Amino acid sequence: MNPMQQQQPHLVAQQLLDLSSKPLQQLMGLRNKPVMNSMANPMMNPMVNPMANTMHTTRLHNQMATSVHNPLMHQQNRSKKNSIFSASDDNVITKQVVDTHLPDGTDVDVKPLLDIVEDILRYATINVDSTSSAEHTDVGKVEGKLGSKPHEMNTVVMLNSLSHVIEKLASEMSLRCLSIGDGHTTALALFHMVGNFHWDAKLVLTLAAFALNHGDFCLLSQIYSSNQLGSSMAILRQVPMIMENSASLKPRFDILNKLIRSVLELTRCIMQFKELPSMYVTPDVPTMAKALNTLPTAVYWSFRGIVSCVAQITSISTKGHEYRISSSELQSWELSTLILKINHLQEFLKKQLEDCHRVVGERREMDFRNSFNKLFDTVHIDNMKILTILISPRDDNLPLFDGVTKKRVSLEVLRKRNVLLLISGLDMSSDELSILEQIYSESRIQGTRLDALYEVVWMPIVDPSIEYTEAMNKQFEEMKNRMPWFSVYHPSIIDKAVKRSIGDRWRFRSKPILVVLDPQGRELSPNAIHMMWIWGSNAFPFTSAREEALWREETWRLELLVSGMDPTILNWIRDDKYIFLYGGEEDIEWIRKFTSHARAMAIAARIPLEMAYVGKSKKRENVRRAIAIINVEKLSYCWQDTTLIWFFWTRIESMLFSKIQLKRADDQDPIMLQIKKLLSYDKDGSWALLCRGSQILTNGHGSTMLQTITDFDLWKEHVPTTGFDLSFTDYHDKLHVAAGYCCRFEFPITAGRIPEGMRCPECHRLMEKYTAFLCCHDQTGLLEPY
């Protein structure tokens, strides 16, 4: 083969480039002629029958050869069209095709060649109704695509090594179609010629051979009237005579367009299997095994489609005006059947490809999730690597939104800083946000942001399986603009694998968590939100060791429960008054009786008594109604802002979760016993807690506390000798033991960290675990995020 022949595929591509640079009038000059409008679509390829294959190898060739010359047999076979592509037929064909497959280890990257082929066929299959501008744009795309490839030299080298194969394939197809060979025999002959290549290379090389012939034919049909050389060559190819029948052949052109598109789509699909990462998808993966078993069949029918197109072109070129239109109905049925077969294979392989991508995604995500934990076991110079993986895995230059300047900024603002990752959904309550803003602002009173002890970054986690709506985006923007700290500029930049890893490592579900990283990116606490609620910025640097130390300093006292929430209660503590904290919301009659009898008892015992209503952890509307009645009837002091009630109960819950996180939830220390009691009382209705100054004397259910108060006359005789405090406590404790109350705790699945077991704070026995399904129609509960 001479050098000119070897370089012909490259020259075809160059011809397209030359064409695209010519004036639009020259390129599209013949489009205004009716005859040319029909012929400009290059898919005018009458084809020999590709469908008349049989179920049995011994009769295959005879029936194919006969069907070419016997239209009557075609009509008979049409009644059997449902069996033409039966599984048994494909099995026979597949065995013959596989027998030709003798790979020698040659692995050719044919993707650049497929790009060129697609460009040729895209231009060659222009819709005859397209406007000139559309055609010009399409040509421009071809020019840009071919002329701007960074690997163009590699493409040229590849073409030089494969051009002889492409030439031989093109010649073989043309020769066999001229001799009216049947499609099956021609396809097998082509398989023998590319036996040493992989399946994807076989198909692309054969497509390239088709594009070589087809491109020449289409090029002549478009330039013969405006180019002298093209005109002379077109006469030899009988192009002018073919134009005379172009209008009649248009339906055939349309179906041939569909056939070529089907072959191309199937080829692209097959090519994508080679691009799958072998480290995640191996041949033994079931979905990959199905695809590999189907490849020989898919490539075979693609060959048949290509051969059919070549046969059409050859028939038109050689017969010209003698081409018989009368057989078009029969051939249209054959082509449609072939298209259906190829499309069916493409849909099957597409489904396997989607399953393979799913396997790749799952295994890649699993690898990431496994390596995610190792990141925190590695020593880093600073925190940038970990923050980049968490916040900006796509190398976004400005992934953060500064809540102060309201501008996007880079991760550099966090370099070598203590970083608190506030991880939540988009439904963080206004109560949570208000308290966090207050704590954050208090930590910065003494200095500017440059002097701050830590930086906060909000990472909103959106379920990847849920469509991100405009309403959700509006909610995100409102929260982002309200926050005084940093936020990711959009939830979409947080990778799906990162979200899963956050759930794995830090047990995030939907309740907000606060992960603490030091300047080197080391994890100081998996969730400091409980420390933040209990001790605020005093818990800095929010390490587990600091959490342990703060608990060692604590005692069971009223300041632990109310902290600095209310100066009125703090004044009562300083004055060493007796204080009743009480709660509940459903039984307003209990509240009336409890407050009136408590005042009477205080007057009789001559003690200074104050009372404060602290509501309930849930059912906000009921709590509001109770507050309104208490205010109107002046029953006692109460918090007017339900955010304080929410914070009171959140802090108590956080004390329990803090101990669970430290694996100290079953410690028999008095603090945890009393915290568990309060949380259990809150679930059962009314309750009360009696203090003297900061000292908590006792707490109990509403019924026993009310009975102790109303029975004052029964135990007041002990007050002069043992004192009021001990007399009240002893009498109440006897009632409490006699009542035999049970304790219960509720841990929503969204809490993340749920203890494996708990002991009852009353009897100290191991509690039973139940799964409950609760429906609460009060959508504004005080602890609604929980």
Side-chain angles (χ1 to χ4, degrees), residues 23-44 122-136 138-139 218 221-226 243 246 250 253 257:
L24 185 62
Q25 295 87 344
Q26 181 179 0
L27 183 62
M28 303 299 174
L30 300 182
R31 299 287 291 172
N32 294 327
K33 298 181 181 181
V35 174
M36 187 56 197
N37 278 342
S38 297
M39 195 56 201
N41 187 315
M43 304 307 302
M44 44 186 69
R122 183 185 300 114
Y123 178 65
T125 57
I126 298 174
N127 191 314
V128 294
D129 298 322
S130 298
T131 64
S132 299
S133 60
E135 292 177 8
H136 181 72
D138 199 38
V139 176
C218 295
S221 70
Q222 296 182 38
I223 69 170
Y224 81 99
S225 65
S226 59
M243 294 303 182
S246 60
K250 186 180 183 304
F253 305 157
N257 277 335

Side-chain angles (χ1 to χ4, degrees), residues 43-302:
M43 304 307 302
M44 44 186 69
N45 333 46
M47 77 177 214
V48 293
N49 177 19
M51 296 292 111
N53 54 305
T54 70
M55 309 303 173
H56 308 287
T57 308
T58 55
R59 300 168 57 193
L60 186 66
H61 295 162
N62 289 337
Q63 288 199 8
M64 281 186 169
T66 306
S67 66
V68 173
H69 304 287
N70 192 345
L72 180 60
M73 181 173 290
H74 275 302
Q75 298 290 344
Q76 294 171 346
N77 286 341
R78 284 164 66 180
S79 64
K80 304 177 182 179
K81 62 181 178 181
N82 290 331
S83 65
I84 285 180
F85 299 123
S86 67
S88 59
D89 183 40
D90 271 353
N91 290 336
V92 173
I93 292 173
T94 300
K95 185 180 184 307
Q96 292 178 316
V97 170
V98 170
D99 287 343
T100 69
H101 186 56
L102 303 171
D104 58 3
T106 303
D107 189 8
V108 181
D109 179 15
V110 290
K111 181 65 169 61
L113 179 59
L114 180 61
D115 291 339
I116 294 174
V117 170
E118 285 184 312
D119 287 335
I120 294 172
L121 296 180
R122 183 185 300 114
Y123 178 65
T125 57
I126 298 174
N127 191 314
V128 294
D129 298 322
S130 298
T131 64
S132 299
S133 60
E135 292 177 8
H136 181 72
T137 301
D138 199 38
V139 176
K141 289 180 181 178
V142 173
E143 179 182 20
K145 189 167 185 180
L146 289 177
S148 62
K149 290 183 182 299
H151 51 275
E152 186 175 356
M153 286 304 300
N154 293 335
T155 303
V156 172
V157 172
M158 182 268 297
L159 285 174
N160 285 337
S161 64
L162 296 177
S163 59
H164 67 288
V165 178
I166 298 171
E167 285 282 3
K168 289 172 65 178
L169 288 168
S171 300
E172 184 72 14
M173 281 190 283
S174 297
L175 181 60
R176 286 183 174 271
C177 290
L178 279 172
S179 60
I180 320 182
D182 67 88
H184 176 71
T185 303
T186 301
L188 285 183
L190 298 178
F191 272 112
H192 281 289
M193 295 175 66
V194 290
N196 61 314
F197 293 96
H198 292 295
W199 295 107
D200 62 313
K202 294 177 196 287
L203 182 50
V204 174
L205 287 170
T206 306
L207 260 177
F210 166 69
L212 188 62
N213 287 337
H214 189 48
D216 284 344
F217 182 82
C218 295
L219 202 56
L220 288 177
S221 70
Q222 296 182 38
I223 69 170
Y224 81 99
S225 65
S226 59
N227 182 283
Q228 184 59 47
L229 176 59
S231 176
S232 300
M233 293 183 64
I235 292 173
L236 289 178
R237 296 287 295 270
Q238 302 191 59
V239 169
M241 289 180 289
I242 293 170
M243 294 303 182
E244 296 176 4
N245 292 319
S246 60
S248 302
L249 292 173
K250 186 180 183 304
R252 181 66 50 79
F253 305 157
D254 293 338
I255 198 169
L256 285 173
N257 277 335
K258 292 180 182 178
L259 177 56
I260 285 194
R261 281 195 296 269
S262 295
V263 173
L264 277 174
E265 288 174 6
L266 180 55
T267 304
R268 292 190 203 104
C269 187
I270 292 173
M271 289 288 292
Q272 290 181 63
F273 281 96
K274 190 174 183 180
E275 297 170 2
L276 293 170
S278 58
M279 62 183 297
Y280 296 121
V281 182
T282 54
D284 58 340
V285 173
T287 185
M288 187 64 168
K290 290 179 184 178
L292 293 177
N293 290 335
T294 308
L295 283 185
T297 304
V299 175
Y300 169 81
W301 287 110
S302 297

Side-chain angles (χ1 to χ4, degrees), residues 641-693:
D641 186 357
T642 53
T643 299
L644 286 178
I645 298 177
W646 171 86
F647 191 40
F648 174 82
W649 288 106
T650 295
R651 291 183 72 256
I652 294 176
E653 269 199 347
S654 294
M655 293 174 194
L656 177 60
F657 281 115
S658 172
K659 285 291 187 177
I660 291 174
Q661 187 166 286
L662 293 172
K663 299 181 180 178
R664 299 286 190 272
D666 272 341
D667 283 355
Q668 298 303 306
D669 65 272
I671 295 179
M672 289 315 302
L673 288 175
Q674 299 305 322
I675 288 172
K676 289 178 182 179
K677 287 181 181 180
L678 282 182
L679 291 172
S680 180
Y681 298 158
D682 177 59
K683 301 296 184 293
D684 291 333
S686 55
W687 61 276
L689 176 146
L690 178 62
C691 308
R692 182 177 180 178

Side-chain angles (χ1 to χ4, degrees), residues 379-423:
V379 178
H380 303 283
I381 298 175
D382 55 33
N383 54 5
M384 295 309 292
K385 181 175 181 179
I386 285 179
L387 290 176
T388 299
I389 291 173
L390 284 170
I391 297 174
S392 183
R394 300 181 184 90
D395 296 327
D396 193 301
N397 292 328
L398 301 172
L400 296 179
F401 176 82
D402 190 329
V404 174
T405 65
K406 307 301 180 185
K407 295 180 180 179
R408 288 178 60 176
V409 295
S410 72
L411 284 177
E412 285 297 320
V413 297
L414 304 177
R415 185 184 290 275
K416 295 189 176 180
R417 306 285 290 173
N418 292 287
V419 176
L420 275 59
L421 301 175
L422 175 59
I423 303 171

